[in-house]
């Protein structure tokens, strides 16, 4: 129903009403004073101001509980209450295995501080938990800064949250000791994930408003990450349920709007007492905690939108959330989020945003920022304008997380245009996929990409620490993914095939790109291109050949220390880029071979392969230096040869060389199972090809 027919909107949630008295009744019953809620549900203890509302809720709640009891004949195991989550005897790099858990986030340099576990004799389980938590914050946290590191207290944090931090951290820490059999640890991680997800499900079933708590959202989001990218069917089914439940809850609770979730945002900016005041330390710590609480909720909202896209889009499923729904200011500078204490936080605040003194008080000079930083949609629109405000550029430069969210929004926009384009019949005048967006739309996306890529190019040389390098590398890969999607749409999206898991989506996309699967939509558009005399896809590839080769070089030439830090959604994005490059290489090989054979059959001297030769040689020049074969230099010399026989040999060997490199690239990305799984897919395709060639030679 349109908003004009429901003109009365609740200021505390997203509900609308046709009459003012219905709105007032809703406010009294839903948002009224707790002292007036005299009617209590006998099942979940929720309270209501009206008897009839309470009765309807109680009937529904009782039916739900009875159904769950019938489904669960065996009691669901809960998270262990002791510290023996699991034991591996592995210590994270740079962390002393004998040091007890710290009061806050574990130190990564082995420094010792007062700990609540000092009265214990350090046990193997405590040492292992310490190592796994340290590995989480060292390797995973920089690419998804969901949890505030400095205030994460392992002694008071809820068990489901601590457990999933340990589970994800163990994926990294067990890789630091080569040669160990990690299968038992992986199985234990999966068991703990199952227990944690059931614990979260039980809490939400008892009271769905539990998701209002920031730690619950954090635990849900981290469980979603593990379930989506660890290649288990049962885990992914639960992951989808958790994602849907979290999206529904934040909508119903009004958490997608900052003005609803936080009545008075940025109270920590007002009247900061300068150093030397009697109440300086106390007030400063309170303001720091206020910032942490507000920014934690904001990071949870942005993480939900980010994961919603990167979990569902590889499956060709529309994200559940629209960026327009998210009305939160862009994340503030990463340096503030990573400050170790209140004093360093205040110093970072002034370093990033300046300092102004008014009477006895101090405050930052550059906050609040320009309206283009007030939401993700406004930021995306401003950066597509071609002339973004300096405050927006500064905000993106200071927060890689903000850049990744803007890139994700741009990719979602391109995918929506592409989906709409392929729902229409092919156009006789312009059936090429290269023109999905209009010239005006292309200019806007390109303007946004130029501004973002300029920021990335400026920041990457300044990233000295590995954690900074890893997150800017991730931003660069996402930017390549958006650029390529403008000219080479995802075959899974074009085909209309929908999968249920990330791994299944990438697998199907691989076979679609190689021509193993054919669907009606792809056949219709391919037939249209043939009937209307359209050229091959070389033209669109030529337009992005520089981006293709840059992406191939960037994905291949990653330092080992950065490979282990690569987030699973970045590995998935890298694989989709590799598929595009693979498809371009195969097309160039086919076109070049056809022209070469035609030249040999006609007996005409000389041969010109045009764009196909340029594409083929550009890709192979990136690949061959990474091939550890003694005749690599000879193969490089063959690329530009004029001898037909030599060129045919080069064409025959090139795709096998490419596939061998792809297997090695993704086999090295072994922390999350998405990397080895895709390496196994390419390895199987390579083995099938070699077997077929052997049969042809023998028969």
């Amino acid at each position: 129903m349109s908003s004009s027919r429901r003109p009365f909107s609740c200021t505390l949630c997203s509900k609308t009403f046709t009459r003012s008295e219905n709105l007032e009744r809703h406010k009294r019953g839903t948002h009224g004073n707790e002292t007036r809620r005299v009617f209590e549900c006998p099942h979940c203890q929720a309270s209501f101001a009206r008897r009839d509302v309470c009765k309807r809720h109680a009937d529904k709640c009782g039916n739900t509980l009875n159904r769950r009891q019938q489904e669960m004949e065996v009691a669901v195991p809960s998270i262990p209450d002791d510290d023996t989550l699991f034991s591996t005897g592995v210590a994270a790099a740079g962390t002393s295995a004998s040091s007890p858990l710290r009061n806050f986030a574990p130190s990564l340099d082995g420094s010792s501080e007062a700990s609540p576990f000092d009265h214990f004799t350090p046990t193997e389980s405590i040492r292992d938990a310490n190592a796994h938590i340290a590995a989480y914050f060292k390797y995973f946290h920089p690419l998804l800064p969901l949890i505030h590191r400095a205030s994460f207290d392992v002694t008071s944090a809820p068990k489901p949250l601590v457990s999933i931090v340990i589970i994800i951290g163990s994926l990294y820490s067990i890789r630091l000791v080569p040669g160990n059999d990690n299968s038992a640890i992986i199985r234990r991680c999966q068991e703990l994930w199952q227990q944690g997800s059931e614990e979260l499900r039980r809490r939400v079933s008892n009271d769905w408003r539990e998701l209002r708590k920031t730690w619950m959202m954090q635990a849900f989001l981290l469980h979603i990450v593990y379930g989506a990218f660890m290649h288990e069917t049962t885990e992914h089914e639960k992951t989808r349920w958790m994602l849907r439940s979290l999206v529904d809850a934040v909508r119903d609770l009004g958490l997608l709007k900052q003005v609803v979730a936080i009545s008075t945002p940025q109270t920590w900016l007002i009247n900061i007492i300068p150093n030397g005041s009697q109440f300086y330390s106390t007030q400063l710590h309170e303001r720091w905690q206020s910032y942490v609480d507000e920014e934690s909720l904001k990071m949870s909202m942005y993480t939900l939108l980010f994961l919603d896209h990167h979990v569902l889009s590889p499956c060709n499923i529309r994200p559940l959330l629209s960026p327009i729904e998210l009305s939160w200011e862009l994340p503030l500078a990463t340096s503030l989020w990573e400050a170790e204490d209140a004093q360093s936080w205040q110093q970072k605040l002034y370093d990033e945003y300046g300092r102004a003194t008014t009477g006895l008080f101090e405050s930052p000079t550059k906050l609040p920022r320009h309206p283009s930083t007030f939401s993700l949609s406004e930021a995306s629109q401003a950066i597509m304008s071609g002339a973004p405000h300096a405050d927006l550029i500064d905000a993106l430069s200071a927060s890689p997380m903000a850049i990744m969210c803007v890139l994700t929004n741009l990719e979602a926009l391109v995918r929506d245009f592409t989906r709409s384009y392929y729902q229409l019949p092919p156009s006789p005048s312009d059936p090429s996929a290269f023109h999905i967006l209009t010239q005006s739309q292309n200019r806007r996306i390109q303007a946004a990409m130029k501004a973002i890529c300029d920021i990335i190019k400026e920041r990457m040389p300044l990233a000295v620490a590995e954690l900074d390098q890893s997150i800017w590398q991730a931003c660069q890969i996402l930017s390549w993914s958006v650029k390529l999607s403008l000219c080479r749409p995802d075959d899974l999206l074009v085909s209309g095939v929908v999968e249920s898991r990330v791994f299944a989506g990438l697998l199907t996309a691989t076979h679609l790109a190689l021509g193993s699967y054919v669907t009606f939509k792809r056949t219709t558009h391919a037939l249209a291109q043939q009937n209307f005399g359209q050229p091959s896809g070389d033209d669109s590839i030529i337009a992005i050949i520089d981006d293709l080769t840059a992406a191939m070089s960037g994905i291949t030439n990653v330092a080992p220390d950065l490979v282990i830090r690569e987030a699973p959604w970045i590995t998935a994005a890298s694989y989709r880029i590799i598929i595009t490059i693979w498809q371009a290489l195969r097309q160039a090989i086919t076109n070049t071979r056809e022209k070469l054979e035609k030249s040999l059959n006609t007996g005409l001297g000389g041969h010109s392969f045009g764009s196909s030769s340029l594409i083929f040689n550009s890709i192979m020049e990136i690949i061959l230096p990474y091939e550890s074969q003694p005749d690599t230099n000879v193969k490089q010399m063959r690329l530009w040869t004029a001898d037909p026989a030599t060129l045919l040999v080069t064409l025959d060997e090139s795709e096998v060389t490419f596939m061998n490199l792809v297997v090695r690239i993704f086999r090295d990305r072994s922390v999350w199972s998405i990397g080895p799984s895709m390496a196994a897919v390419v390895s199987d395709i390579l083995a099938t090809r070699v077997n077929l060639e052997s049969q042809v030679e023998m028969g």
Side-chain angles (χ1 to χ4, degrees), residues 529-541:
Q529 291 185 3
Q530 294 176 6
N531 291 341
F532 302 129
Q534 289 295 316
S536 64
D538 287 350
D539 291 343
S540 61
I541 290 295

Side-chain angles (χ1 to χ4, degrees), residues 181-234:
D181 182 10
N182 299 321
S183 57
I185 301 172
I186 296 298
R187 286 195 300 271
R188 180 59 176 149
C189 286
Q190 292 170 349
E191 292 173 1
L192 287 174
W193 185 90
Q194 295 283 355
Q195 294 175 14
S197 61
E198 290 299 336
E199 176 74 12
L200 294 174
R201 181 192 288 262
R202 179 166 49 237
R203 287 173 180 263
V204 172
S205 298
N206 290 337
D207 185 0
W208 66 275
R209 290 172 299 181
E210 283 280 299
L211 284 170
R212 177 65 176 82
K213 299 175 181 177
T214 303
W215 77 262
M216 277 286 287
M217 283 188 282
Q218 292 170 338
F220 258 71
L221 291 167
L222 292 178
H223 277 80
I224 289 169
V225 171
Y226 184 91
F229 295 100
M230 284 307 289
H231 187 25
E232 290 291 333
T233 304
T234 55

Side-chain angles (χ1 to χ4, degrees), residues 329-578:
E329 184 184 13
L330 291 181
L332 295 176
T334 302
S335 58
L336 293 182
W337 185 245
E338 299 298 332
E340 292 293 335
D341 51 43
Q343 286 76 18
S344 61
W345 169 76
Q346 180 173 251
Q347 185 59 49
K348 297 292 185 183
L349 184 64
Y350 292 146
D351 290 345
E352 291 286 347
Y353 304 106
R355 178 185 304 196
T357 303
T358 305
L360 297 176
F361 303 106
E362 296 175 346
S363 62
T365 57
K366 296 183 182 179
L367 287 174
R369 300 174 289 183
H370 189 263
S372 60
T373 67
F374 286 179
S375 72
L376 181 61
S377 293
E378 290 177 283
S380 301
Q381 292 171 2
I383 205 163
M384 284 190 287
S385 69
H389 194 274
D391 281 0
L392 176 58
I393 299 298
D394 291 342
L396 296 176
S397 300
S399 175
M401 182 65 182
I403 283 189
M404 289 197 295
C405 289
V406 171
L407 286 170
T408 298
N409 189 22
L410 292 175
E411 184 176 42
L413 180 64
V414 173
R415 289 182 66 87
D416 283 342
F417 275 118
T418 306
R419 185 179 285 107
S420 299
Y421 176 88
Y422 277 98
Q423 288 179 349
L424 299 174
S427 170
S429 60
D430 188 16
S432 173
F434 181 68
H435 301 293
I436 292 173
L437 275 68
T438 66
Q439 291 184 357
S440 175
Q441 293 165 346
N442 264 303
R443 281 197 300 269
R444 292 184 178 278
I445 299 292
Q446 294 290 357
M449 295 310 302
K450 182 181 183 303
I452 291 175
C453 289
D454 287 345
I455 295 174
I456 295 173
K457 289 178 182 177
E458 179 184 351
R459 298 292 297 181
M460 283 195 73
L462 304 177
V464 179
E466 291 178 351
L467 60 89
D468 293 330
Q469 295 174 7
S470 63
I471 194 166
W472 287 111
Q473 172 76 8
C475 292
Q476 191 169 56
I477 290 175
L478 290 180
S479 70
W480 287 327
S481 178
V482 176
K483 285 183 178 181
L484 298 184
S485 66
L486 283 171
C487 301
R488 300 290 291 187
D490 180 11
D491 279 307
L492 194 69
L493 188 152
V494 172
S495 70
V497 176
V498 176
E499 294 289 357
S500 60
R501 296 177 292 148
V502 174
F503 169 76
L506 295 177
L507 174 62
T508 302
T510 303
H511 289 293
L512 286 171
L514 300 181
S516 302
Y517 296 162
V518 178
T519 65
F520 175 76
K521 290 184 180 179
R522 291 183 74 245
T523 305
T524 301
H525 281 268
L527 183 61
Q529 291 185 3
Q530 294 176 6
N531 291 341
F532 302 129
Q534 289 295 316
S536 64
D538 287 350
D539 291 343
S540 61
I541 290 295
I542 285 293
I544 56 172
I545 188 63
D546 289 340
D547 291 320
L548 278 179
T549 53
M552 187 70 200
S553 178
I555 294 171
T556 305
N557 192 27
V558 179
D561 291 338
L562 296 183
V563 169
I564 193 175
R565 295 173 181 271
E566 187 170 284
W569 50 88
I570 299 300
T571 301
S574 298
Y575 186 79
R576 289 162 62 188
I577 293 173
I578 291 294

Side-chain angles (χ1 to χ4, degrees), residues 615-653:
I615 294 169
F616 174 77
N617 290 333
S618 298
I619 295 175
M620 293 307 298
E621 282 183 338
I622 298 296
I623 296 170
L624 287 179
Y626 298 99
E627 185 184 23
S628 56
Q629 298 293 335
D631 58 347
T632 297
N633 293 332
V634 176
K635 290 183 178 181
Q636 286 181 294
M637 294 175 63
R638 291 179 186 168
L639 289 179
W640 302 96
T641 183
D643 178 58
T646 304
L647 183 55
L648 280 174
V649 172
T650 303
L651 293 174
D652 291 337
E653 295 175 346

Side-chain angles (χ1 to χ4, degrees), residues 262-272 287 290-291 294:
I262 301 176
S263 57
T264 53
Q266 296 188 348
T267 55
W268 42 272
L269 286 177
I270 305 172
N271 296 337
I272 298 179
R287 295 192 181 281
S290 175
Y291 157 80
E294 179 178 325

